[in-house]
Amino acid sequence: MNIILLGAPGSGKGTQSVLINKNFGLVQLSTGEIIRENIEKKTKLGLQVQNIVDKGEFVSDDIILDIISVRILEDDCKKGFVLDGFPRNLNQATKFDELLIKYKKKIDFVIELSVSFDDLYKRIENRAIESNEARADDKKEILENRLKIYENQTRPLVPYYKKSNLHYEINGMKTVKEISNDINNILDFKKNDV
Ligand code: AMP
C-alpha cells in the first residue's frame, strides 16, 4: 500500500506519516527531511539547494525526482511507503506517474489534510517555540511565501488526484489522535481492496 499525504506546510503531514508508519509499517518518505539531512551534512546536493530551501522556494523538479526514483526502489519500500511533501506540483505528479508505471507500482490513497491558514501560522509559531529555535524556512515572511507557493503549485494536485478517485480529504484542524483515527478508518476500510 502506497500513500501520498497532501497538505500545506505545518498541516501535520510529518506527524501523521510517523503514525502511519507505526500503525501500518509503511516507510515514511519525506523529501523535505532528505533535503534537510543533505544540508546538515553539507553534501554536494545540500550545498546546492540550501539557499533555495532557506527562502522557502522549491528545489528543482529534476533533483526531487532523482531522489524519489532511487528511494522508492530500496528494499524497505517493498511493503509500501507514505510520501510526505512529494509530489508538490503537477510536473512532479505526472513524471511520478510515469515512474510508477515503469516500476510497476501504484499509489492507493492520496490523503489531504486541510487546515486554515490562520491555524497554520499558530502551529508553526508553536513549533518554533517548542523546539526553541525556528527552522530558517519557518520564519513569518518565508512561511507566507511557502503558503503562496502551496496555493499556486500544490493545490492543483487535488483535482488531479480526484480525477483518478484516489483523493480523500480529512479535516486537519482536529487533534492529532482524531486525524490519525480518520486516516486509519480510510486505510483499514479500503486496504482489503488494495
Ligand atoms: P518540507 O519539510 O516538506 O516542508 O520541505 C522543506 C523544503 O524542502 C521545501 O520548502 C522545499 O524547499 C524543499 N522540498 C521538499 N520537498 C520538495 C518537493 N517535492 N519539491 C520541491 N521542493 C521540495
Side-chain angles (χ1 to χ4, degrees), residues 5-20:
L5 276 188
L6 210 58
S11 60
K13 301 189 297 297
T15 306
Q16 292 301 330
S17 54
V18 171
L19 292 172
I20 294 173

Side-chain angles (χ1 to χ4, degrees), residues 1 3 5 16 19-20 23-24 108-109 111 113 168-171 174-194:
M1 179 159 73
I3 301 170
L5 276 188
Q16 292 301 330
L19 292 172
I20 294 173
N23 295 332
F24 294 89
D108 303 294
F109 303 97
I111 299 180
L113 302 179
Y168 296 79
E169 183 176 355
I170 286 184
N171 177 358
K174 296 185 184 176
T175 64
V176 169
K177 181 96 193 81
E178 286 168 335
I179 297 171
S180 175
N181 283 341
D182 287 349
I183 293 178
N184 292 352
N185 285 339
I186 294 172
L187 301 184
D188 274 333
F189 182 64
K190 292 270 184 176
K191 77 178 174 200
N192 296 332
D193 305 337
V194 170

Side-chain angles (χ1 to χ4, degrees), residues 124-139:
I124 289 186
E125 270 166 18
N126 286 340
R127 179 156 89 185
I129 293 164
E130 276 160 21
S131 70
N132 255 334
E133 62 180 290
R135 267 167 51 179
D137 61 350
D138 273 354
K139 293 197 187 97

